[in-house]
Amino acid sequence: MEQDNHHTEDNRTEDNHTEKDIAIVGMSCMFPGAQNIDQYWHNLANGVDSIIDAPADRIDPMYFQKEEAAYDRFYCNKGGFLDIPGVDPMKYGFLPIAAKGIEPEQLFMLKLVFEALEDAGVFQKNISLENGCIIIGKGNFGNVSSMRNIDIVNTSVQVVEVVKACIPAISQEDLDKIKKAYQAQKGEIKPDNAIALMPNLIAALVTNKLNMHGPAYTVDGACASSAIAVNHASELLLSGQCDIALAAGIHTAQSAMFQASFNMLGAISYKGVISPFSEDADGLLPSEGGGVFVLKTLKKAIEDNDRIYALIKASAVFSDGAGVSVMAPNTVGQQLTIAKAWEKAGMDPQHIGLIEAHGTATIAGDRVEINTLNEFFGKDPALNKIWLGSVKSNIGHTMPAAGMAGMMKVALALFNRKIPPTLHAERPAKALVDSRFALPQTAIDWDGDKYPLVAGVNAFGFGGINSHVIMTAYDNKPENLVPDNRITIMRSFKQAHLVAANTKEELLAKIDKRYWLGTKGKYRLVIFDPTDERIAKVRSIVEKDKPWKGRMDIWFTNEPLLKEGGKLAFLFSGFNMEMNMEVDTVADYFQLERPRDVAEQGLLNHSLKLYHINNLLDTSLKKLGVIPDMNAGQSIGEWHAGKASGLVTDENVKSMMEAWVRDLNQEIDENSQGPNDDYDSWFEDVYFVAVGCGYKTLEPIIKDIPELYLSNDNCNTQVLMCGKREAVDEMCERLKKNQIFNQELPYKSGYHTPFMAKHLYILDYC
């Protein structure tokens, strides 16, 4: 008899959820081609390949000399690389002396942790982290600080010995100078810098900055590390030892030394393409990345009214045991791990829609994993189809962070009900042809009626350590769940991509690869919603090497906007009775209050809306790290400039506005000369026109037109003219004959013109 899932054991809810379910309530990441979760999902859903040539500042091009067979010469220069933006150590409370030598990877992890907690609403809801823990999957590879320490302590001595051997007559004094000069180039090592040399302290730093008292440690299970971190964090939650857990994976150790190891093994693709489960597969491509999950028990997540991306039903970690070689994978350990996870979950393994495989694209690794999947899930093609994916086809093999990359892909796929494509798999491996597994070539709508909203994620590590995580969608959200406007907006609105490069050729290469990343370089591009048509236009713009300022939602410059000591100013706008600014999406993205709608016409309502808009834009830009050197304002915008500069408070500005409008309305009442003297009808027949030339050019053309006035002399290529209907029409006709651009503006006003004369009694308040 078929079991009724709505009435099962005591530990199941009516929605087939159990007390052992772990909810993913927050995420953050940075992977190749993606600075955040939204870019990551955009790239996966659209099949973006984020593999690039190794940047020269990461691995010197001299190492990629294929004709030389040597340990320090590599046959492949492709991989996945992060463009990590600068992180201010002071933001996380580091003293200046400690900040000088801090390990960049530690700052990177702090950044990801804070972003994940913000995504989970922890700060907004003021949720305590005191009973929180953090487990980080990472390798003990040499980081920036340890390499610097080796150079200062060890290599400097070797340099001196080489010089001494080559120049026997050199004095000891000169040798000491050479040593000190070499060490000075590498930086200082002080007691405050020692924290950067201890890999486990990357987790301790997080607990220190967030006052977390739960366990904090790193795990190194090779490529299974981050999945093991999720397993440990889940167990800490289920035991009741913690009520919120952070599980993370990180790998930023791409270097010539790291590359040399995989090059020696011959594990890197000779073609420079990573093709998991393909007949064309010939090896992996090393990559970098980092990601953080915020986890709670499902019960706790519901109590806290959290948004839930997906559920972790169970996870398991086991090893291969005895085998042919410690480096060779085998199906015994892999099957044991998968079987234990499904047994632990108490679920039917036939009820599954997706396997996010380890899928390294190495011939032996893929062959063994396919055999494991076929043997455990069955290979009969008559059974329901199971989609098979590997995120490594998009971003390469992120080593200890590989499991996190796969789990995040699945969580986002379940949340968005879409299965991303697996790239470079046009010719599936022969072992898949007559199986129930299929490689999605394009994005597929994840219809739960066709393909169960259940997924398994594999992460297998060198040495035979294996992990398997089972994840499901979460459908029945609490009725009182507060809508997450930011997530809705970021999932549905156009994506803005910021790209920078040092040369035009480098920028064109990024465009061709759809690699929308980069913060350094004088060639800078912003593109919204990069469709094929817009990308073709971008290529044309960049090839011409001339600035482009906004048309088709594209901005390009071949020179930095601020250079050689240039400064930045914010100019706050003045009063406008018809404000139609699209600012709600900006407010939602930064989780700020939306500017209030003007429900009633009137000067005060419009002024207060303008106040909110100016305040919102100022706050948003500063959240992005765009800090002005000065503030200025036009008309009442001067008050906002004062507030932005810290000269006055919010309450000061609001009080001044209310007093101004109150006094102005009183003047209007006292001086009213009839029904047409109310403010909204002052300039009923007065129009503004923008003209594309300087006033010296314009004056002889329009000097005999009555009731036409100069309002704004903006620059030598633009003025604003103001006039009555007949005057404006006459001017536009003359401008057309002289082939001078002009555009009537969509609002009426007589500011800065003689049309204000009959309303002079208000000038003291403007």
Side-chain angles (χ1 to χ4, degrees):
M1 180 180 295
E2 183 177 347
Q3 186 181 30
D4 180 0
N5 287 330
H6 292 279
H7 303 281
T8 57
E9 294 90 344
D10 291 340
N11 67 334
R12 293 182 182 274
T13 71
E14 63 178 6
D15 299 311
N16 203 27
H17 300 312
T18 78
E19 293 178 354
K20 295 183 178 181
D21 288 348
I22 300 297
I24 301 170
V25 299
M27 290 193 282
S28 70
C29 76
M30 188 181 292
F31 289 111
Q35 295 277 34
N36 52 50
I37 279 290
D38 295 293
Q39 279 187 315
Y40 186 51
W41 174 245
H42 175 271
N43 291 350
L44 296 180
N46 289 280
V48 175
D49 182 345
S50 296
I51 298 299
I52 60 171
D53 292 343
D57 62 345
R58 302 298 301 281
I59 302 179
D60 195 304
M62 73 176 184
Y63 291 106
F64 300 109
Q65 298 176 14
K66 299 180 182 179
E67 67 277 4
E68 293 191 30
Y71 179 71
D72 62 351
R73 293 297 180 267
F74 316 140
Y75 58 83
C76 178
N77 70 336
K78 303 288 184 180
F81 293 86
L82 295 181
D83 187 1
I84 302 175
V87 181
D88 182 8
M90 308 300 179
K91 178 179 178 181
Y92 301 108
F94 290 97
L95 295 174
I97 191 170
K100 288 182 180 179
I102 194 169
E103 166 57 37
E105 188 178 64
Q106 295 175 349
L107 280 178
F108 178 39
M109 178 50 64
L110 279 170
K111 176 180 184 295
L112 291 179
V113 164
F114 274 77
E115 288 176 354
L117 291 170
E118 184 175 355
D119 184 57
V122 168
F123 303 128
Q124 181 183 3
K125 298 176 183 178
N126 199 28
I127 293 174
S128 173
L129 293 169
E130 197 162 338
N131 291 324
C133 66
I134 178 167
I135 319 298
I136 302 173
K138 72 180 298 292
N140 290 307
F141 311 110
N143 57 24
V144 172
S145 298
S146 62
M147 293 300 99
R148 185 175 70 239
N149 195 44
I150 290 172
D151 280 340
I152 292 173
V153 176
N154 192 30
T155 309
S156 63
V157 175
Q158 295 173 348
V159 168
V160 168
E161 291 299 319
V162 170
V163 172
K164 186 176 181 180
C166 295
I167 313 174
I170 193 170
S171 68
Q172 185 62 46
E173 182 181 359
D174 286 339
L175 288 173
D176 290 341
K177 288 180 180 178
I178 291 171
K179 178 180 176 181
K180 289 179 179 178
Y182 179 87
Q183 291 175 330
Q185 287 182 338
K186 300 299 178 179
E188 294 180 289
I189 291 292
K190 295 183 177 181
D192 294 278
N193 305 147
I195 190 173
L197 305 176
M198 304 173 190
N200 66 300
L201 287 181
I202 192 171
L205 276 175
V206 174
T207 59
N208 176 266
K209 301 304 177 185
L210 293 170
N211 192 32
M212 300 168 71
H213 291 286
Y217 56 89
T218 62
V219 292
D220 185 354
C223 309
S225 297
S226 52
I228 296 171
V230 167
N231 175 272
H232 285 207
S234 299
E235 294 300 325
L236 286 167
L237 289 170
L238 293 174
S239 70
Q241 186 173 348
C242 299
D243 53 28
I244 185 169
L246 302 175
I250 189 169
H251 177 63
T252 61
Q254 291 293 83
S255 64
M257 288 192 301
F258 186 87
Q259 191 91 359
S261 301
F262 284 87
N263 186 80
M264 182 176 61
L265 291 171
I268 298 177
S269 168
Y270 286 83
K271 298 175 183 176
V273 178
I274 184 166
S275 311
F277 306 120
S278 167
E279 282 295 295
D280 300 315
D282 70 339
L284 57 83
L285 291 175
S287 183
E288 299 176 316
V292 178
F293 275 158
V294 181
L295 305 175
K296 297 180 183 179
T297 62
L298 176 58
K299 180 180 178 182
K300 177 65 173 171
I302 292 174
E303 287 176 359
D304 290 344
N305 200 33
D306 291 328
R307 175 205 53 235
I308 298 172
Y309 284 105
L311 298 178
I312 296 172
K313 302 294 289 187
S315 61
V317 180
F318 286 87
S319 294
D320 286 346
V324 176
S325 164
V326 73
M327 299 292 284
N330 69 59
T331 62
V332 175
Q334 292 180 6
Q335 282 196 62
L336 172 64
T337 305
I338 295 173
K340 289 294 184 181
W342 285 88
E343 178 185 334
K344 193 174 173 182
M347 297 171 63
D348 180 0
Q350 299 306 315
H351 189 73
I352 187 172
L354 170 68
I355 286 289
E356 174 62 21
H358 191 54
T360 60
T362 57
I363 296 172
D366 281 8
R367 183 182 67 246
V368 169
E369 188 167 13
I370 291 173
N371 290 340
T372 294
L373 296 174
N374 280 335
E375 289 180 25
F376 183 81
F377 292 99
K379 63 177 294 183
D380 186 352
L383 296 169
N384 65 286
K385 181 185 293 185
I386 301 176
W387 293 107
L388 181 64
S390 173
V391 74
K392 295 176 182 65
S393 69
N394 300 86
I395 63 172
H397 190 348
T398 54
M399 304 299 167
M404 183 58 67
M407 288 182 290
M408 283 193 169
K409 171 186 172 181
V410 170
L412 290 165
L414 289 165
F415 186 76
N416 290 283
R417 302 296 194 267
K418 190 177 289 290
I419 298 174
T422 297
L423 307 185
H424 313 303
E426 293 80 6
R427 296 200 310 140
K430 292 178 181 178
L432 291 175
V433 173
D434 294 322
S435 76
R436 64 188 298 197
F437 292 96
L439 297 163
Q441 301 295 305
T442 60
I444 297 165
D445 290 334
W446 200 340
D447 183 345
D449 293 330
K450 292 182 180 179
Y451 317 111
L453 292 164
V454 180
V457 183
N458 287 340
F460 304 144
F462 273 145
I465 185 166
N466 310 298
S467 67
H468 185 73
V469 181
I470 301 168
M471 301 171 66
T472 66
Y474 181 70
D475 286 313
N476 301 316
K477 300 178 181 179
E479 292 182 2
N480 63 341
L481 184 65
V482 177
D484 190 329
N485 293 320
R486 188 186 68 79
I487 290 297
T488 302
I489 286 165
M490 292 305 290
R491 299 284 184 262
S492 60
F493 279 69
K494 295 187 297 183
Q495 294 280 332
H497 300 280
L498 285 69
V499 196
N502 291 314
T503 65
K504 180 177 76 173
E505 291 70 26
E506 185 183 339
L507 182 60
L508 287 169
K510 286 188 174 185
I511 293 168
D512 291 340
K513 291 288 292 183
R514 309 298 197 266
Y515 190 75
W516 309 119
L517 273 186
T519 57
K520 301 174 184 177
K522 72 175 188 176
Y523 285 83
R524 294 171 175 266
L525 169 71
V526 176
I527 177 173
F528 279 81
D529 192 22
T531 61
D532 290 341
E533 177 188 8
R534 194 163 285 146
I535 288 170
K537 183 64 178 177
V538 163
R539 276 200 117 269
S540 173
I541 292 168
V542 175
E543 284 174 345
K544 291 177 181 176
D545 211 3
K546 294 182 179 179
W548 185 273
K549 299 182 179 179
R551 281 182 293 147
M552 291 183 68
D553 283 342
I554 299 166
W555 284 259
F556 166 70
T557 180
N558 52 7
E559 287 291 341
L561 298 179
L562 293 176
K563 62 179 182 178
E564 299 175 359
K567 297 194 175 188
L568 178 68
F570 285 179
L571 177 65
F572 294 91
S573 66
F575 182 69
N576 177 4
M577 288 295 286
E578 296 183 20
M579 293 172 289
N580 296 310
M581 300 180 67
E582 295 293 335
V583 291
D584 285 351
T585 55
V586 176
D588 292 336
Y589 177 76
F590 288 103
Q591 297 182 329
L592 300 170
E593 179 186 356
R594 287 187 176 192
R596 64 186 65 176
D597 292 329
V598 181
E600 300 177 3
Q601 295 301 312
L603 194 57
L604 180 57
N605 289 321
H606 284 279
S607 299
L608 289 175
K609 182 173 183 180
L610 173 63
Y611 166 76
H612 283 292
I613 290 173
N614 274 326
N615 194 40
L616 169 68
L617 297 178
D618 177 56
T619 303
S620 301
L621 284 167
K622 287 175 178 174
K623 275 179 170 281
L624 290 172
V626 182
I627 309 298
D629 296 290
M630 62 193 76
N631 293 288
Q634 185 268 327
S635 186
I636 62 173
E638 292 178 355
W639 295 349
H640 303 124
K643 183 262 177 186
S645 301
L647 300 176
V648 294
T649 66
D650 280 342
E651 291 305 315
N652 291 148
V653 177
K654 290 178 182 178
S655 297
M656 283 191 288
M657 279 188 172
E658 289 170 356
W660 169 61
V661 173
R662 182 181 62 248
D663 293 348
L664 174 60
N665 286 336
Q666 182 178 348
E667 290 283 356
I668 292 173
D669 290 341
E670 292 174 357
N671 292 275
S672 178
Q673 298 173 9
N676 292 326
D677 201 36
D678 90 71
Y679 189 86
D680 291 335
S681 61
W682 280 357
F683 308 112
E684 197 168 295
D685 191 37
V686 176
Y687 302 87
F688 267 140
V689 178
V691 181
C693 68
Y695 191 66
K696 286 185 178 180
T697 302
L698 178 64
E699 186 178 21
I701 299 174
I702 54 92
K703 63 181 180 180
D704 61 335
I705 301 177
E707 293 196 295
L708 184 67
Y709 304 103
L710 173 68
S711 175
N712 294 61
D713 189 353
N714 290 336
C715 59
N716 59 7
T717 58
Q718 187 196 76
V719 297
L720 290 187
M721 299 300 295
C722 183
K724 294 293 185 75
R725 179 80 274 165
E726 291 182 4
V728 165
D729 290 345
E730 175 64 25
M731 178 185 69
C732 292
E733 185 64 30
R734 295 185 188 184
L735 292 174
K736 182 178 179 182
K737 290 178 181 178
N738 284 272
Q739 296 185 331
I740 296 175
F741 170 82
N742 61 91
Q743 175 68 55
E744 186 173 314
L745 301 183
Y747 57 87
K748 301 176 182 181
S749 173
Y751 286 146
H752 316 297
T753 75
F755 292 116
M756 284 294 298
K758 66 177 182 178
H759 307 293
L760 286 178
Y761 55 81
I762 72 163
L763 287 183
D764 288 340
Y765 302 96
C766 290

